[in-house]
Amino acid sequence: MNADDFQNGQILLLDKPLNWTSFQVVNKMKWALKTKLDLKKIKIGHAGTLDPLATGLLLVCTGKFTKRITELQGQAKEYTGTFFIGATTPSYDLETEIDANFPISHIDPELIQETTKQFLGEIDQKPPIYSAIKKDGVRLYEHARAGETIEIASRKTSIHEFEITRIELPEIDFRVICSKGTYIRSLAFDFGKALNSGAHLTALRRTKIGDYAVSDAIDVATFENSILPNQEASL
């Protein structure tokens, strides 16, 4: 593809690596496009943030297709991952250390499967305190890191499918299809409470956004090398 192709608009499927922010992926791609194609500027953005500790499908729009970002963000998303049962963390994932432990001896496969039914359909969910949502003009994670206690309002979200794919306590693997705005970290925390225990997220991968699948995505290095064939890509 040439410069006009990217300016006219492309939807690029990227497999975001672990420990990268979505912003870093977009910046890397923007630099590659501008360098190889000698562009002074190009519009580029992603359709749905993934946490640094998550991997998987990131839709990146270029040129005129950046107008489609809102449309793409509204599509259903599929995730797979792992809950650790019996312990919680303030961030609901591995960003922070375990702050409480809970019993799991009462938990069996039947209870786990029954509990998933509580989360199907429209649910009320509170975003994690360690999230980028703003309250009073300040992102929640900034309040959290400052040790401030903030009241977070719940919001409506929808879980279309919730499947348990592996049970080896204290770990549970899952697959979820959900609406825009769903926090899987919050789902982990709430699922632990519903089991009369605790839980946090230890792995997360976004596998689909609408009809787009991570199986059709490329990694950042492959994209960079394809745009910069005569230069060594550095991650």
Side-chain angles (χ1 to χ4, degrees), residues 188-199:
F189 180 81
D190 293 340
F191 191 71
K193 286 179 65 177
L195 289 171
N196 291 316
S197 183

Side-chain angles (χ1 to χ4, degrees), residues 129 135-136 138-148 150:
I129 184 63
K135 184 176 175 65
D136 301 326
V138 179
R139 298 197 183 278
L140 290 183
Y141 64 74
E142 295 181 48
H143 287 295
R145 289 168 183 166
E148 299 169 358
I150 298 295

Side-chain angles (χ1 to χ4, degrees), residues 12-24:
L12 306 170
L13 281 62
L14 271 291
D15 189 345
K16 190 192 82 66
L18 187 66
N19 295 323
W20 280 50
T21 66
S22 301
F23 183 72
Q24 284 175 312

Side-chain angles (χ1 to χ4, degrees), residues 37-233:
L37 303 177
D38 196 27
L39 295 169
K40 290 187 177 180
K41 63 179 182 178
I42 183 170
K43 290 183 178 179
I44 185 169
H46 66 77
T49 302
L50 275 176
D51 290 336
L53 293 179
T55 66
L57 184 61
L58 189 71
L59 296 183
V60 178
C61 299
T62 72
K64 295 177 181 179
F65 277 18
T66 54
K67 295 179 181 179
R68 296 186 59 186
I69 286 177
T70 300
E71 165 206 340
L72 294 168
Q73 285 177 330
Q75 298 189 23
K77 299 170 178 66
E78 180 184 77
Y79 296 90
T80 61
T82 303
F83 297 152
F84 185 96
I85 309 299
T88 56
T89 71
S91 61
Y92 302 171
D93 65 3
L94 294 177
E95 182 183 346
T96 53
E97 298 293 324
I98 289 172
D99 61 355
N101 291 283
F102 301 85
I104 64 171
S105 58
H106 64 286
I107 299 173
D108 59 22
E110 182 179 1
L111 176 61
I112 291 169
Q113 297 292 352
E114 280 297 313
T115 302
T116 63
K117 297 176 183 178
Q118 299 179 29
F119 295 91
L120 290 172
E122 186 177 74
I123 62 172
D124 290 313
Q125 186 184 76
K126 285 188 176 182
I129 184 63
Y130 282 80
S131 65
I133 294 173
K134 287 186 177 180
K135 184 176 175 65
D136 301 326
V138 179
R139 298 197 183 278
L140 290 183
Y141 64 74
E142 295 181 48
H143 287 295
R145 289 168 183 166
E148 299 169 358
T149 301
I150 298 295
E151 182 61 34
I152 304 173
S154 63
R155 50 178 61 186
K156 298 290 185 183
T157 188
S158 293
I159 306 295
H160 307 305
E161 296 182 28
F162 188 5
E163 177 188 7
I164 303 300
T165 56
R166 179 180 69 99
I167 299 173
E168 291 185 20
L169 291 175
E171 291 187 340
I172 295 174
D173 288 352
F174 64 89
R175 183 184 67 88
V176 165
I177 298 179
C178 57
S179 65
K180 172 188 175 182
T182 302
Y183 280 90
I184 307 300
R185 285 183 287 148
S186 293
L187 180 62
F189 180 81
D190 293 340
F191 191 71
K193 286 179 65 177
L195 289 171
N196 291 316
S197 183
H200 62 281
L201 188 68
T202 57
L204 183 65
R205 183 164 178 78
R206 186 158 66 197
T207 48
K208 287 184 180 179
I209 299 175
D211 292 329
Y212 299 98
V214 73
S215 57
D216 297 320
I218 60 173
D219 61 35
V220 177
T222 299
F223 175 81
E224 188 177 16
N225 284 326
S226 69
I227 299 298
L228 301 172
N230 298 319
Q231 299 186 32
E232 182 179 352

